[in-house]
Amino acid sequence: MKNLIVVLYVLFAVSCSKKEKVDTIVINANIYTVNSNFDNAEAFAIKEGKIVAVGNSLEIQARYSPTFINDAKGKTVVPGFIDAHCHFYGLGLQQQKVDLSGTVSFDEVVQRIVDFQKEKNVSYITGRGWDQNDWEIKKFPTKNKLDELFPNTPVAVRRVDGHALLANQAAIDLAGVTVNTPEVGGFILKENGKLTGILIAGPMSLISSRIPPPSKTEQIQALKDAEKICFNLGLSTVDDAGLSKQTIELIDSLQQIGELKMRIYAMVSVSNENIDYYSKKGIIKTDRLNVRSFKAYADGALGSRGAVLKMPYSDKHNHFGALVTPLNDLRKFAEKIAASDYQMNTHAIGDSANYVMLKTYKDVLKGKSDSRWRIEHAQVIDQEDFKYFDNILPSVQPTHATSDMYWAEDRVGAERMKGAYAFKDLLNTYGKVALGTDFPVEKVSPFLTFYAAVARKDLNNYPENGFQMENALTREEALKGMTIWAAYSNFEENEKGSIEVGKMADFVVLDKKYYDH
Ligand SMILES: [Zn+2]
């Protein structure tokens, strides 16, 4: 037996000597390469983090001597997913807050706060999501129990809509609120001449303005927590839609020392100061970080009627929504960015906000080729304005369609709905569409994006025949939207987004077939 092993080892060594050494080969996989022909393959070889060959299992095994063999046993392999619009750091910060959504009683709220603090031990407990209308006793809660449990740790937790807040005495003391504090733009509830702990609207800022910003340790923890969640769901690149200079520098420093591995396309929050700083510095590009875009906001959201429409809202008389950045400022930002190497990515939801941004982009970009400036969300588009997307890149979030479909028509009416969540029309105009989620506004999972893009249904199979199916994407288009087209929207299509020779070895092994029905 010993001899046999020796002989086999020798044979193995001899045969290996003619093969090229690589780190890993993946074999027996059902690979969607997402190359320009959308070819399938069986195997590929990886060396120093890059794909060095793609082919069938026999050929890859014959040519390469790997340190590791990953036998996919017939499983589906796709390129690592890219979320073209999300709030990665925001997702991480959210992990440091108590999630109180779906609580069925105030006791459950208290229990979740206790459990959270046992695990996280933060110096100031914040959270969101309680809703007394979901409880048996549909009354605003009071702070008494929180005072007993947390006499020295401030607690401030918001209602699900964000417009009411429950604070304990420690938080109230820190804010200096008393029964005599004037109630400006809202209410400070009292019972028998004492504060109940509930603050509504305006006065909430008295409490929230005293919540300390996250410490450096908490910031680092947030980034690591977000990375863990995203890696588990197959994301290998995230486009963070709006980061400060300080957070970008923290990300870079953590990536440099190997503490953060996620690849991040960091959109810089737009301001004159940031444009001056980054346009002078130029594009920042490492294997894991790409800083070459600014994120601006044109309008608000459709749900809260903050999106700007050309004609009034269908469900609010004479209401058009409002720009959150003055048009003059948006124009000046665009002019400055057009004069730099950077890309401009602007949040635009309503048809009017989209129109003014598309026109502004076109005006300032005149003659500049391959700028890839993006409209983020591109949610409600006037039929007349689709044509402007011929060279402006749409970055859309399919789960927004299936989250909003219940009430969107109330806001804009049947006619304007034809140009709403019109992903296929946008794709047909530009030739590509970058897909994302906007997490943590929506869930993180790219699989929900695929489902919303292709089936256009919620998870309860509603509506039975899909929502505005003329704007559904095919499976192939949805996969491209979260891989190669998202990479293109980041100027990274030559380094990622497909399983091809020379690209980064970012890939996902799925436990289900992508084309299963
Ligand atoms: Zn966003």
Side-chain angles (χ1 to χ4, degrees):
M1 189 65 197
K2 211 172 190 180
N3 280 342
L4 186 61
I5 288 171
V6 170
V7 170
L8 278 176
Y9 176 74
V10 170
L11 279 176
F12 186 65
V14 167
S15 66
C16 280
S17 65
K18 291 172 189 156
K19 294 180 181 181
E20 189 188 331
K21 281 203 165 18
V22 291
D23 301 317
T24 302
I25 60 170
V26 177
I27 56 167
N28 300 322
N30 172 28
I31 303 167
Y32 290 87
T33 63
V34 196
N35 66 9
S36 55
N37 295 322
F38 208 70
D39 288 329
N40 286 101
E42 261 180 18
F44 57 98
I46 300 164
K47 192 175 183 178
E48 285 156 10
K50 294 259 168 66
I51 295 165
V52 293
V54 182
N56 67 47
S57 299
L58 284 175
E59 151 193 317
I60 295 292
Q61 281 174 293
R63 276 168 59 195
Y64 296 99
S65 160
T67 310
F68 295 106
I69 298 180
N70 183 341
D71 185 343
K73 298 193 173 115
K75 282 185 180 151
T76 295
V77 172
V78 294
F81 297 128
I82 302 170
D83 191 316
H85 180 120
C86 63
H87 301 275
F88 176 76
Y89 180 52
L91 173 74
L93 288 177
Q94 202 187 54
Q95 307 312 306
Q96 291 166 10
K97 296 176 179 157
V98 206
D99 177 11
L100 299 172
S101 53
T103 43
V104 296
S105 65
F106 183 59
D107 286 342
E108 192 183 352
V109 168
V110 172
Q111 192 55 48
R112 281 206 204 169
I113 295 172
V114 169
D115 293 346
F116 169 86
Q117 185 62 353
K118 237 181 237 162
E119 191 195 327
K120 310 265 177 167
N121 193 27
V122 296
S123 57
Y124 193 127
I125 302 168
T126 57
R128 182 165 170 169
W130 58 269
D131 183 353
Q132 79 278 18
N133 293 322
D134 292 344
W135 307 341
E136 203 171 317
I137 305 162
K138 297 182 187 352
K139 256 179 63 182
F140 272 130
T142 63
K143 64 186 175 60
N144 302 346
K145 258 188 200 166
L146 296 177
D147 289 343
E148 272 168 41
L149 290 162
F150 304 102
N152 304 314
T153 308
V155 181
V157 289
R158 283 169 185 253
R159 194 175 177 276
V160 63
D161 61 0
H163 296 301
L165 180 136
L166 173 66
N168 71 348
Q169 194 58 41
I172 288 169
D173 289 342
L174 190 66
V177 173
T178 67
V179 285
N180 302 318
T181 302
E183 297 165 283
V184 182
F187 307 95
I188 303 171
L189 300 194
K190 288 151 211 148
E191 234 171 59
N192 306 322
K194 285 183 178 157
L195 297 175
T196 69
I198 292 287
L199 296 92
I200 297 169
M204 288 168 46
S205 66
L206 299 170
I207 302 284
S208 49
S209 63
R210 301 305 302 266
I211 298 173
S215 66
K216 183 96 180 267
T217 315
E218 286 166 337
Q219 293 173 30
I220 293 169
Q221 192 58 46
L223 291 165
K224 288 184 171 182
D225 287 349
E227 173 176 89
K228 195 171 169 203
I229 295 168
C230 292
F231 276 159
N232 278 339
L233 289 162
L235 289 162
S236 51
T237 297
V238 291
D239 292 20
D240 199 316
L243 288 171
S244 69
K245 174 170 170 278
Q246 185 264 331
T247 305
I248 291 169
E249 283 167 1
L250 178 63
I251 288 170
D252 191 24
S253 69
L254 293 172
Q255 288 173 332
Q256 299 290 351
I257 56 168
E259 286 287 298
L260 194 69
K261 298 206 163 55
M262 181 60 76
R263 301 192 207 278
I264 297 174
Y265 188 77
M267 302 183 202
V268 183
S269 294
V270 81
S271 67
N272 281 317
E273 200 187 343
N274 281 344
I275 296 177
D276 292 344
Y277 177 82
Y278 282 101
S279 54
K280 200 166 155 200
K281 201 169 168 80
I283 292 167
I284 301 168
K285 179 77 179 77
T286 71
D287 261 7
R288 301 197 186 275
L289 180 66
N290 194 356
V291 188
R292 59 166 306 153
S293 67
F294 293 99
K295 167 76 187 299
Y297 281 87
D299 61 349
L302 197 61
S304 50
R305 300 184 188 81
V308 187
L309 299 177
K310 291 182 176 181
M311 299 297 285
Y313 274 75
S314 301
D315 58 358
K316 194 170 179 189
H317 183 66
N318 218 16
H319 180 79
F320 292 81
L323 286 177
V324 297
T325 312
L327 192 51
N328 248 344
D329 291 359
L330 287 165
R331 169 97 194 187
K332 280 184 193 141
F333 289 148
E335 281 168 354
K336 278 177 114 170
I337 299 167
S340 78
D341 295 329
Y342 276 60
Q343 171 197 45
M344 184 166 182
N345 302 329
T346 308
H347 166 118
I349 303 257
D351 56 7
S352 176
N354 273 280
Y355 173 74
V356 297
M357 285 323 295
L358 288 162
K359 290 295 270 184
T360 302
Y361 279 12
K362 296 248 169 191
D363 280 358
V364 305
L365 283 173
K366 49 185 174 273
K368 210 178 174 191
S369 65
D370 201 27
S371 61
R372 305 188 195 183
W373 281 23
R374 293 162 48 165
I375 296 281
E376 302 297 327
H377 310 306
Q379 222 167 74
V380 184
I381 309 295
D382 187 328
Q383 293 295 341
E384 291 293 302
D385 299 338
F386 276 98
K387 59 177 182 281
Y388 299 122
F389 281 97
D390 59 342
N391 63 352
I392 305 293
L393 209 160
S395 164
V396 299
Q397 300 73 36
T399 42
H400 279 344
T402 49
S403 291
D404 299 358
M405 64 185 174
Y406 313 101
W407 46 260
E409 192 169 332
D410 296 345
R411 299 284 183 281
V412 300
E415 197 49 39
R416 285 183 289 194
M417 274 308 281
K418 292 177 190 160
Y421 312 93
F423 310 144
K424 188 75 159 199
D425 292 339
L426 291 165
L427 167 58
N428 287 341
T429 311
Y430 186 80
K432 295 179 181 69
V433 64
L435 300 184
T437 60
D438 209 8
F439 71 67
V441 176
E442 300 282 353
K443 294 205 172 79
V444 179
S445 174
F447 302 99
L448 296 177
T449 299
F450 290 130
Y451 183 67
V454 174
R456 290 180 68 103
K457 291 180 186 186
D458 67 16
L459 296 178
N460 296 318
N461 213 27
Y462 173 88
E464 208 180 328
N465 297 316
F467 164 68
Q468 304 193 158
M469 286 307 281
E470 64 281 9
N471 268 300
L473 302 181
T474 65
R475 282 174 162 75
E476 179 175 331
E477 289 160 353
L479 183 56
K480 286 178 175 171
M482 275 223 128
T483 55
I484 194 70
W485 291 340
Y488 177 89
S489 78
N490 299 351
F491 300 85
E492 294 176 335
E493 75 278 14
N494 292 324
E495 63 189 74
K496 59 174 83 150
S498 62
I499 296 176
E500 289 182 274
V501 172
K503 291 205 173 179
M504 292 167 170
D506 296 346
F507 63 97
V508 190
V509 182
L510 305 179
D511 56 2
K512 289 206 177 75
K513 285 183 184 161
Y514 184 62
Y515 279 69
D516 240 5
H517 289 271

